[in-house]
Amino acid sequence: MKKLAILFWTFFWISSVTLGGGMAMLPLFDREFVEKRGWLTSQEMVDVVAVMQSLPGLIMVNMAVLIGYRLKGIAGALTAAFASVLTPFAVIAVLARGAAAISASPTLAHVFLGVRAGTAALVMMSLVKLAKSALDGRFAWTLAVIGFVAAVGLQVDVTYVVLFGFLVGLGLVVAEVVRRERS
């Protein structure tokens, strides 16, 4: 029962203090799940984030279900998922009632401008940390830079960038298998 309470409060806290969606939550995920609680290793965190990005739905809820299930089965998955949506649901319900007043407020427009800037900094920090963990060697860095330039500079749909990365990785596996069979 104690671990369920920890799961609840951990996911409730993360969803309550982060703005900007899943990518903005990455620094907190890393600190809570890897550094503080040891629920994931650094490599597992990189792998989990990659999987969460490729699944439909919200990263926070997907992460909650995965971590909750891993720690306490179905009860853990349900507890963590509920905790992760509780605060956003309450905030959206309140904001929906006052949407007209909020959208007309120049003060709140400036507040959210600051929030967006802070969120962008958190996302960049997470990306740098994940890149250091996930990209080992020149080839991986080169592939990441090519993907970034294609997606941002050339505006190639990210689906094709991910598919390209998948095909390159698959090609490397096939090449390794062929090399081993020949030796």
Side-chain angles (χ1 to χ4, degrees):
M1 197 59 151
K2 183 179 179 185
K3 192 161 270 192
L4 286 176
I6 292 170
L7 271 170
F8 179 88
W9 288 112
T10 301
F11 281 95
F12 179 78
W13 176 78
I14 291 172
S15 74
S16 296
V17 300
T18 52
L19 298 171
M23 296 306 283
M25 296 174 178
L26 288 179
L28 291 175
F29 286 163
D30 189 63
R31 186 172 62 229
E32 285 294 317
F33 306 151
V34 176
E35 296 170 13
K36 185 176 177 184
R37 303 194 185 280
W39 292 344
L40 297 172
T41 66
S42 292
Q43 185 58 47
E44 287 173 327
M45 183 67 183
V46 170
D47 295 341
V48 165
V49 170
V51 170
M52 295 302 119
Q53 285 288 90
S54 64
L55 292 175
L58 303 170
I59 292 174
M60 179 64 166
V61 177
N62 291 343
M63 185 70 80
V65 170
L66 176 101
I67 299 287
Y69 186 80
R70 186 174 184 174
L71 295 177
K72 290 299 282 180
I74 298 288
L78 292 173
T79 299
F82 176 71
S84 72
V85 299
L86 193 58
T87 300
F89 177 79
V91 169
I92 290 170
V94 169
L95 290 178
R97 294 195 60 108
I102 290 170
S103 64
S105 168
T107 302
L108 286 176
H110 285 91
V111 167
F112 283 112
L113 176 65
V115 168
R116 285 194 305 267
T119 300
L122 286 174
V123 169
M124 291 300 292
M125 183 179 80
S126 296
L127 292 176
V128 168
K129 191 169 185 176
L130 282 173
K132 287 179 181 176
S133 295
L135 304 175
D136 55 351
R138 284 187 177 157
F139 183 76
W141 277 98
T142 303
L143 196 58
V145 169
I146 290 169
F148 179 80
V149 168
V152 176
L154 303 175
Q155 297 189 351
V156 173
D157 187 312
V158 293
T159 306
Y160 297 121
V161 174
V162 171
L163 182 60
F164 175 73
F166 171 78
L167 292 174
V168 169
L170 185 60
L172 290 172
V173 169
V174 169
E176 180 64 22
V177 168
V178 169
R179 186 188 65 77
R180 284 184 184 169
E181 287 179 357
R182 288 183 179 172
S183 40

